[in-house]
Structures are given as structure tokens and as C-alpha cells.
């Protein structure tokens, strides 16, 4: 095999340096945001402005309102931190128990032997003993869980730090590589509970606040008289920020793990070619640098001067990052890969691959992600006809709104699925399962840009809520609403990226599982595989039912509490007394922590039960069924909810003659739109986003336990002598 142009030493330097550059850049951005003073007083520079942020162009100078901003931000931050700390305590117990499971299951494969064994890729060489694999997989699981926890927590802290400042700025205008699979398992395990728990929290508060506040009491969104308003804003951070951060971290970790596991049994692994083995990490490192350059384009070269430029600017970042990343991929493929290498495929002849083929594999994932992003934007932005049709259907009530929204969601699945299918076919044809793994990395290579665009939505939403609660001028709320409307679309784009990458990651993990379990062919005509396929396709529906019902139960308790406070607290509707915000925060916290356990148990236990009782072949069918079914339900649910949300905002904004004919706020059409938005909330923020973790987590868990299933699985069929 030909040598690579990069040296191993240079690769060892480049990868951590890219990560370090990313962290330094993040600290610089944190510092810039911190210069926006939340309190009163004169700031020295204030992001280039000499005057205090308290003085805007209308001459508005209300120190009390700004003090309220600081107070509200503190309440939101404390609520989010309290919830996450409590949630992580529960997860700590889970991590400890599941770590023991991993060690015992994998250690039992070789009878807890410490003897070195023949390598799969090269039987003439010796590899680490099974006990070492069990130990390193367990350690990797713990590290992955801790890193995922940190990703979610830091995301929440940054969001709660930025929300009030966004409100104020709005007044200014606009070897043992197989063991590494345990790392992905740890990351996705935490992401699952973070997504489900955070999603239940935020949607229970949101539904309760909307149904009682806007529909029954006819008060504005985020009105300080609404008892659930603080819990609603806390939920934006623990669900949309912490949950998405942990989710995309899990995708990134798992796609890297899948690529490393597959490459470990290729000529890379046999030749101990560290540079070529590090190809997935070099792609990720290049992505960090590309996203930093993209940020400079967005903030310095194309300065936003009007409200209409917000959303195009955010979308422009996707295009710029994709084009720049395409060039970076070409450079990495040329420098870090040998001209020719082989990929081992279980049950087939090794596949000879040229380095230019991997450029098309990674590029197909990258550009498929852009197509998914723009398709999602078309179906969820009120700048286009699909959402306006949904808004127009509100003329005849909530029922027609729901019908149109569901139809939109189903239709929005077509192009993303075709884009994913093309990327899969091209990648597999060129480089087998390794091609699919690096295609997933390609889609995630611009993760920093995608995550920033996704976080834009909940931060802007919080900013609008703080502006409303602090009693700031209507002009400020108009600006934060413009940010929020753009943020809803960009959040939907972020979810599209997450779901699309989950499909590729899951398929790559599926390939790694099949290789590690020694399955030559997954034949769905055979009864074992077909039974698994049917049951696997059912699991996303079961999981969605559990999460939707959990939101419903929590929202019911929230609605009753908000009604109770409005009915029993004198002066609440008049605004002379404050509601009991803490009571609503406690309801969301208790409900989410209680209700996240059953869906989590379903996902974590299913692969263990199926693999142990029915064997690797049935489990392979199960994973395939869950992947095919889950991706399409997730896209449909996320886009339906996003469309309903923006249809409501379209009516509220009244920016066109058509929108004004449906409004204003409080009209029958607006109330129908609010009901649609309420139905869509758990779809787009709980069930939909959680499904991509379901398909990833089951696949990576199966990969980790593959040696155990291959050695001891299929107990039930063995008992029946089948």
C-alpha cells in the first residue's frame, strides 16, 4: 500500500490543534457577548458602541426594565441548571449500572481471559485479550457519557448567558479501535435521556402556557402574568440547547466510531497506518477550521442591516461552509490517504478503493446535508407557499389546520429521503460500509455552523420572552419576534441535519455491527431477519407514543396548575401580583424526570433482549426496520411541528395582506393556528428529535455487545433447535 503524504507526527499535532483553535474561538465569542452589559451603567465599548445599551434610538431609558431583564435571565438560568443537575444525578446512577453490564457481558465472551488472541483482520498477529476489550469499552462508555453531559451543560450555560443580552441588543437593530464504540454508546445514552427529558420539560410548559394563556385568557405569549412562562423559557434551554448539543455530539462521536471500527479491519489496520486510520478525525478537524472561517463571513463580510436579511444570512452560512468544506475534503483525501487501499467486507472479497473515491463519499454526505437543510427550510419557513397554505387553512378552524399540517409533514419526507438514498448508494458503491461512515462524517463536518444556527432559535425565543416579561417597548418585541421567526426555521434546518446524519450514522454502525458479529448476509426473506425487520419498524411508533403521551400527561398537570393560579390568586390577571413561577417549574421538572425513564428503557433494553434471546441475525433485521421507519417519522414530525409554529407566527406578524386577513391575534383563525402549534410542539421538539437518537443508540449498543451476541446470543432459538 502506498504511503500517505502526511506524517504521523504531523497528524498527531493537527488534530488537537484544530480542537484547540475551536475552543479558543468559542472563548473569544463568549468574551464578546459578555461585553453586553445586562445591568445598568455605562459600558466602555459595548461591542463597538460608546453609549450605554440602555439608550436606544427611540430615547427609551428604563433602568427598571433592564433590571427585570437581569432578574428574569437569572431565574431562567437557575431553573435550567437545577433541572440538568437533577437529571444528571439520575444519569449518574444509570451510567454506573450500565458500565457494569458492559464489562460483564463483554468480559464473558472470552471467559474473562487475559490471553492475547488472533486478530480478525490479520490472524497471524495477536490482538488484545477479550478482558481488555471489555475494560476499554467500559472506560470509553463512561468517557462518552461524561463528554456528552458536558456538551449539553455548556450549551445550556451559553444559551442562558446570551438570551438577555440578545434582548438588550435587539434595541440597537438586527487497536482497540473496536472498543471506541463504547464512547459513542456513552454519548448517545446521555443524549437520549437529555432529549426525551428536556423535550418533555419544555413542551409541558409550552403547551400549558399556550392553551391557558393565549387561548383561554387571551393574553400575549410570554406575558409575565402567565404562571408557566418561566418554565417555558427554561425548557427552551434544557430541551433545544442541551438536548441538541448532546444529540449532535452523539452523532459526531458515533460516526467517528463507525469509521474507526470499519477501518480497523481494513488494510489501514493491518498495516498500522496511523495517518490513514485518523482520516475521520482529520475530516472533523478540517470542519472546525472551515466553520470558523464561515463565521467570519457571516459576522464581518456580510453585515446584517435589516430584519429581512436575518434568515438569508443564516442560510448563507450553510452554503459557504459546504463549499469551503468541499475544498478541505479534497485536500485531506489527497494528503492523508494512500493512493490505493482495501476495505474488508465480511463474506465478500476485500474491496479495492482509490483515495479519490472517498472524496465523493464524504462529499455526497456533505451536499446531501445541504439539500436536506434547504428542503426543510422550504417546508417550514413562512416565506414559502407550503406554510402559507397551512396558515390559510386556519380560516375554517383547527381541524383543517391539523389536516394541512400533517399532509405537509408527509410530503416533506420525499426529497430528504431521496438525498439520503443517493448518498448511501454512491458511498457504498465506492467504498462499502467505510464509505457510508465517512459520508455521515461529511454531513456532520459543518456541525459547528449547524449547531450555531440551531441554537439561534431558542436563544431568540428566550430574548423575546424576556422582552415581553420586562415590559419593554413594542419595537423591541417586534425585533425579537423577527429573530425568533428566523430562528424557528433555522432550528428546523438543524433538526433536519440531525435526522439525516442519524440515518447515515445508523447505517454505518449497522455495517460495523454486521462485520463485528461475523454476519455475512442479512437476508430479509429468512424468518429470523424478517421478524426483526417488522418489530424494528414498529419501535419508532411505540417510542413516539410513549413520548407524546408523556408530554400530554405533563401538560395536563401544567394546564390545571395555570388555571388554578388564574382562578385563585386575586389580582393576577390585573398584573398587581406575581404568579407562582416555581410551582410550574417543579411540575415540569418532576414530570420530565419521571416520564423519561420508560422510553429510555425501551431503547436501551430492546437490543440486549433481542440479541440475547433471538441472536445477531434477528437483531440485524430489527436495526434495519427501526432505521427505515424511524428516519421518515422523525422528518415528518419535525417538519409538521415547525410548519404549524411558523403558520401561527405568520398570522401574528401580519406582514402581508394575506396574513392580515387571517389576523389579528385573538381571531378565530389565530386561535386555530395556536391549537395547531400546540399539537405540533411535542412532535417537533420531543418525539421527532428523539427518534434519531433511538435509531443511533440501538445500533451503537448492538455494536458494543456484538461479540457477546455472536458468542452467546440466540438462546430462545437454540432452545427450540432452530
Amino acid at each position: 500500500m502506498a504511503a500517505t503524504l502526511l506524517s504521523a507526527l504531523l497528524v498527531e499535532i493537527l488534530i488537537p490543534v484544530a480542537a484547540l483553535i475551536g475552543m479558543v474561538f468559542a472563548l473569544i465569542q463568549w468574551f464578546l457577548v459578555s461585553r453586553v452589559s445586562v445591568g445598568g451603567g455605562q459600558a466602555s465599548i459595548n461591542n463597538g458602541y460608546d453609549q450605554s445599551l440602555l439608550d436606544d434610538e427611540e430615547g427609551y431609558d428604563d433602568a427598571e426594565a433592564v433590571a427585570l431583564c437581569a432578574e428574569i435571565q437569572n431565574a431562567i438560568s437557575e431553573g435550567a441548571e437545577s433541572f440538568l443537575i437533577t437529571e444528571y444525578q439520575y444519569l449518574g446512577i444509570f451510567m454506573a449500572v450500565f458500565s457494569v453490564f458492559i464489562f460483564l457481558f463483554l468480559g464473558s465472551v472470552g471467559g474473562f481471559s487475559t490471553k492475547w488472541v488472533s486478530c480478525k483482520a490479520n490472524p497471524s498477529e495477536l490482538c488484545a485479550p477479550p478482558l481488555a476489550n471489555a475494560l476499554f469499552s467500559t472506560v470509553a462508555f463512561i468517557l462518552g457519557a461524561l463528554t456528552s453531559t458536558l456538551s449539553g451543560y455548556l450549551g445550556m450555560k451559553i444559551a442562558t448567558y446570551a438570551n438577555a443580552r440578545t434582548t438588550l441588543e435587539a434595541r440597537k437593530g438586527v487497536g482497540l479501535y473496536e472498543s471506541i464504540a463504547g464512547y459513542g454508546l456513552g454519548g448517545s445514552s446521555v443524549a437520549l435521556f437529555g432529549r426525551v427529558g428536556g423535550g418533555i420539560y419544555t413542551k409541558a410548559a409550552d403547551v400549558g402556557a399556550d392553551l391557558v394563556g393565549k387561548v383561554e385568557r387571551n393574553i400575549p405569549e410570554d406575558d409575565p402574568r402567565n404562571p408557566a412562562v418561566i418554565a417555558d423559557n427554561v425548557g427552551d434551554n434544557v430541551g433545544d440547547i442541551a438536548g441538541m448539543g448532546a444529540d449532535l455530539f452523539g452523532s459526531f462521536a458515533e460516526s467517528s466510531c463507525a469509521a474507526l471500527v470499519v477501518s480497523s479491519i481494513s488494510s489501514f489496520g493491518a498495516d498500522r497506518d496511523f495517518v490513514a486510520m485518523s482520516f475521520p478525525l482529520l475530516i472533523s478537524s478540517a470542519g472546525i477550521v472551515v466553520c470558523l472561517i464561515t463565521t467570519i463571513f457571516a459576522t464581518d463580510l456580510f453585515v446584517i442591516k435589516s430584519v429581512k436579511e436575518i434568515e438569508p444570512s443564516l442560510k448563507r452560512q450553510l452554503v459557504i461552509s459546504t463549499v469551503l468544506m468541499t475544498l478541505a475534503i479534497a485536500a485531506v483525501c489527497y494528503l492523508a490517504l494512500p493512493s490505493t487501499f482495501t476495505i474488508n467486507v465480511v463474506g465478500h472479497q476485500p474491496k479495492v478503493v482509490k483515495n479519490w473515491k472517498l472524496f465523493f463519499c464524504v462529499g455526497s454526505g456533505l451536499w446531501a446535508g445541504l439539500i436536506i437543510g434547504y428542503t426543510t427550510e422550504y417546508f417550514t419557513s413562512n416565506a414559502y407557499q407550503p406554510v402559507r397554505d397551512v396558515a390559510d387553512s386556519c380560516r375554517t378552524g383547527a381541524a383543517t389546520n391539523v389536516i394541512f399540517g400533517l399532509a405537509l409533514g408527509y410530503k416533506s419526507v420525499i426529497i430528504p429521503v431521496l438525498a439520503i438514498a443517493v448518498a448511501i448508494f454512491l458511498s457504498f458503491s465506492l467504498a462499502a460500509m467505510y464509505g457510508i461512515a465517512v459520508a455521515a462524517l461529511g454531513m456532520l463536518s459543518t456541525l459547528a455552523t449547524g449547531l450555531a444556527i440551531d441554537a439561534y432559535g431558542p436563544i431568540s425565543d428566550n430574548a423575546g420572552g424576556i422582552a415581553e416579561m420586562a415590559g419593554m417597548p413594542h419595537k423591541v418585541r417586534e425585533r425579537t419576534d423577527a429573530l425568533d421567526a428566523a430562528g424557528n426555521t433555522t432550528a428546523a434546518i438543524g433538526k433536519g441535519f440531525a435526522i439525516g446524519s442519524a440515518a447515515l450514522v445508523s447505517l454505518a454502525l449497522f455495517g460495523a455491527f454486521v462485520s463485528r458479529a461475523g454476519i455475512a448476509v442479512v437476508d430479509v426473506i429468512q424468518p429470523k431477519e424478517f421478524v426483526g425487520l417488522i418489530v424494528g419498524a414498529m419501535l419508532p411508533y411505540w417510542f413516539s407514543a410513549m413520548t407524546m403521551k408523556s408530554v400530554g400527561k405533563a401538560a395536563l398537570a401544567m394546564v390545571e396548575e395555570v388555571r388554578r393560579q388564574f382562578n385563585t390568586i386575586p389580582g393576577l390577571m390585573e398584573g398587581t401580583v406575581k404568579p407562582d413561577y416555581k410551582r410550574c417549574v417543579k411540575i415540569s421538572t418532576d414530570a420530565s424526570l419521571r416520564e423519561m425513564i420508560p422510553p429510555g428503557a425501551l431503547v436501551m433494553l430492546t437490543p440486549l433482549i433481542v440479541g440475547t434471546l433471538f441472536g445477531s441475525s434477528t437483531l440485524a433485521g430489527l436495526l434495519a426496520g427501526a432505521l427505515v421507519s424511524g428516519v421518515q417519522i422523525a422528518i415528518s414530525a419535525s417538519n409538521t411541528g415547525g410548519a404549524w409554529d411558523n403558520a401561527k407566527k405568520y398570522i401574528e406578524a401580519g406582514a402581508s395582506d394575506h396574513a392580515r386577513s387571517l389576523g389579528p391575534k385573538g381571531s378565530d383563525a389565530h386561535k386555530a393556528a395556536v391549537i395547531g402549534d400546540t399539537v405540533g410542539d411535542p412532535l417537533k421538539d420531543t418525539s421527532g428529535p428523539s427518534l434519531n437518537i433511538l435509531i443511533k443508540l440501538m445500533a451503537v449498543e448492538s455494536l458494543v455487545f456484538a461479540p457477546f451476541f455472536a458468542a452467546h446470543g440466540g438462546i430462545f432459538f437454540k432452545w427450540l433447535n432452530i
Side-chain angles (χ1 to χ4, degrees):
M1 186 175 70
T4 56
L5 296 179
L6 286 179
S7 67
L9 176 61
L10 187 57
V11 170
E12 290 176 357
I13 295 172
L14 287 176
I15 293 173
V17 164
L20 185 61
I21 290 172
M23 288 188 283
V24 169
F25 184 81
L27 290 174
I28 292 171
Q29 296 302 310
W30 180 290
F31 174 71
L32 291 176
V33 172
S34 71
R35 296 166 75 185
V36 180
S37 175
V38 176
Q42 191 82 9
S44 59
I45 300 177
N46 287 332
N47 288 337
Y49 296 102
D50 292 330
Q51 73 274 29
S52 169
L53 280 172
L54 301 182
D55 303 319
D56 66 4
E57 67 273 20
E58 289 88 9
Y60 177 72
D61 185 5
D62 191 347
E64 182 181 350
V66 176
L68 267 174
C69 267
E71 179 184 337
I72 294 164
Q73 182 218 10
N74 187 57
I76 294 171
S77 181
E78 285 183 358
E81 186 161 357
S82 174
F83 168 76
L84 287 181
I85 288 174
T86 305
E87 182 183 50
Y88 293 155
Q89 288 172 349
Y90 280 82
L91 290 178
I93 299 171
F94 158 76
M95 285 164 55
V97 173
F98 209 76
S99 295
V100 174
F101 271 101
I102 293 174
F103 182 77
L104 293 177
F105 273 60
L106 295 184
S108 67
V109 172
F112 298 95
S113 171
T114 57
K115 294 182 179 179
W116 289 68
V117 296
S118 298
C119 297
K120 291 181 180 179
N122 191 352
S124 63
E125 295 185 7
L126 293 178
C127 283
L131 189 62
N133 178 46
L135 178 62
F136 279 99
S137 294
T138 304
V139 172
F141 169 79
I142 295 171
L143 287 175
L146 291 175
T147 314
S148 182
T149 299
L150 187 62
S151 297
Y153 181 78
L154 288 178
M156 177 277 298
K157 292 297 289 183
I158 291 169
T160 56
Y161 190 72
N163 52 19
R165 290 165 172 82
T166 304
T167 308
L168 297 177
E169 280 291 282
R171 298 183 296 166
K172 290 288 175 189
V174 172
L176 283 166
Y177 276 101
E178 292 184 349
S179 303
I180 205 171
Y183 186 81
L185 175 59
S188 269
S189 299
V190 170
L192 173 70
F193 289 106
R195 259 302 193 193
V196 174
I200 293 171
Y201 186 110
T202 183
K203 290 306 111 182
D206 200 359
V207 170
D210 283 357
L211 283 181
V212 182
K214 289 197 284 189
V215 177
E216 295 182 8
R217 295 285 173 167
N218 202 27
I219 60 177
E221 187 171 3
D222 297 314
D223 192 294
R225 294 170 291 176
N226 195 322
V229 71
I230 291 291
D232 185 10
N233 282 280
V234 169
D236 289 335
N237 295 289
V238 299
D240 294 337
I241 298 291
M244 176 61 90
D247 178 8
L248 288 178
F249 164 79
S251 291
F252 213 86
E254 286 158 346
S255 58
S256 300
C257 291
L260 290 169
V261 169
V262 175
S263 64
S264 69
I265 56 174
S266 68
S267 59
F268 295 164
D271 296 343
R272 299 289 193 269
D273 188 340
F274 176 78
V275 176
M277 287 284 289
S278 301
F279 176 73
L281 303 180
L282 288 169
I283 290 291
S284 305
S285 301
I288 294 173
V289 177
V290 164
C291 290
L292 298 189
I293 297 172
T294 302
T295 302
I296 295 172
F297 275 92
T299 56
D300 297 323
L301 299 183
F302 300 101
V303 179
I304 297 173
K305 297 179 181 179
S306 67
V307 167
K308 293 181 179 179
E309 295 178 10
I310 299 172
E311 194 170 318
S313 176
L314 293 171
K315 291 189 296 181
R316 191 186 302 122
Q317 291 187 60
L318 290 176
V319 177
I320 293 171
S321 62
T322 301
V323 172
L324 292 178
M325 193 62 209
T326 302
L327 301 176
I329 292 167
V332 173
C333 289
Y334 177 71
L335 296 172
L337 291 172
S339 58
T340 304
F341 55 91
T342 59
I343 299 292
N344 292 328
V345 183
V346 177
H348 302 277
Q349 291 294 320
K351 188 175 185 65
V352 178
V353 180
K354 295 184 180 296
N355 57 3
W356 60 264
K357 292 184 177 181
L358 280 194
F359 167 76
F360 287 101
C361 292
V362 183
S364 67
L366 176 67
W367 285 90
L370 185 67
I371 292 170
I372 292 170
Y374 268 77
T375 303
T376 303
E377 187 246 351
Y378 174 75
F379 281 102
T380 57
S381 172
N382 54 32
Y384 301 104
Q385 197 60 40
V387 170
R388 295 186 178 189
D389 288 342
V390 172
D392 192 69
S393 70
C394 295
R395 294 179 186 275
T396 50
T400 47
N401 181 29
V402 170
I403 292 169
F404 269 70
L406 289 174
L408 179 149
Y410 297 149
K411 189 176 181 180
S412 70
V413 171
I414 299 171
I415 295 177
V417 167
L418 291 177
I420 293 170
V422 170
I424 289 171
F425 180 80
L426 180 63
S427 301
F428 188 84
S429 299
L430 294 175
M433 278 298 174
Y434 187 67
I436 294 174
V438 295
L441 270 177
M443 190 176 289
L444 289 164
S445 59
T446 54
L447 172 66
T449 298
L451 193 55
I453 288 174
D454 181 81
Y456 185 93
I459 290 174
S460 300
D461 194 8
N462 261 205
I466 292 172
E468 184 74 42
M469 287 184 277
M472 289 190 165
H474 182 65
K475 195 75 174 177
V476 177
R477 182 69 210 219
E478 283 183 351
R479 289 171 181 159
T480 58
D481 281 349
L483 297 173
D484 187 22
N488 276 333
T489 301
T490 57
I493 292 173
K495 291 182 178 71
F497 265 100
I499 296 167
S501 63
L504 293 177
V505 169
S506 300
L507 186 55
L509 291 168
F510 175 79
F513 162 73
V514 168
S515 299
R516 199 175 184 194
I519 301 174
V521 177
V522 179
D523 187 355
V524 295
I525 298 178
Q526 298 301 316
K528 292 181 181 179
E529 285 87 341
F530 191 77
V531 166
L533 189 73
I534 291 292
V535 174
M538 171 271 296
L539 285 177
Y541 291 94
W542 188 2
F543 180 84
S544 297
M546 295 172 78
T547 53
M548 292 286 285
K549 187 175 181 181
S550 295
V551 171
K553 289 167 63 178
L556 181 62
M558 185 67 73
V559 167
E560 291 175 347
E561 174 59 24
V562 174
R563 283 174 178 165
R564 183 194 68 78
Q565 292 196 33
F566 274 122
N567 292 331
T568 60
I569 299 178
L572 181 57
M573 273 300 292
E574 292 75 21
T576 56
V577 296
K578 286 186 176 181
D580 185 358
Y581 296 125
K582 291 185 178 179
R583 175 63 185 161
C584 291
V585 170
K586 186 177 188 305
I587 288 174
S588 270
T589 300
D590 293 345
S592 60
L593 293 176
R594 181 179 63 252
E595 296 293 336
M596 74 179 184
I597 295 174
L602 173 68
V603 177
M604 297 299 295
L605 294 178
T606 297
L608 290 177
I609 293 172
V610 172
T612 303
L613 294 181
F614 306 106
S616 300
S617 296
T618 304
L619 181 55
L622 181 106
L623 296 178
L627 168 59
V628 171
S629 171
V631 168
Q632 304 190 54
I633 299 173
I635 294 173
S636 173
S638 294
N639 290 347
T640 295
W644 276 327
D645 193 353
N646 273 342
K648 177 200 70 175
K649 284 184 166 55
Y650 175 72
I651 296 173
E652 290 175 346
S656 66
D657 291 339
H658 177 247
R660 285 189 288 272
S661 71
L662 298 171
K665 290 183 180 180
S667 66
D668 289 340
H670 178 250
K671 288 181 179 180
V674 170
I675 292 173
D677 176 38
T678 306
V679 173
D681 276 338
L683 286 174
K684 72 181 176 68
D685 291 324
T686 308
S687 294
S690 298
L691 281 171
N692 59 57
I693 304 178
L694 174 142
I695 59 178
K696 291 185 303 182
L697 182 53
M698 291 206 308
V700 74
E701 185 179 355
S702 301
L703 173 60
V704 170
F705 288 98
F708 175 82
F709 298 146
H712 306 298
I715 295 174
F716 181 73
F717 288 142
K718 289 177 182 176
W719 179 64
L720 293 177
N721 292 320
I722 297 178

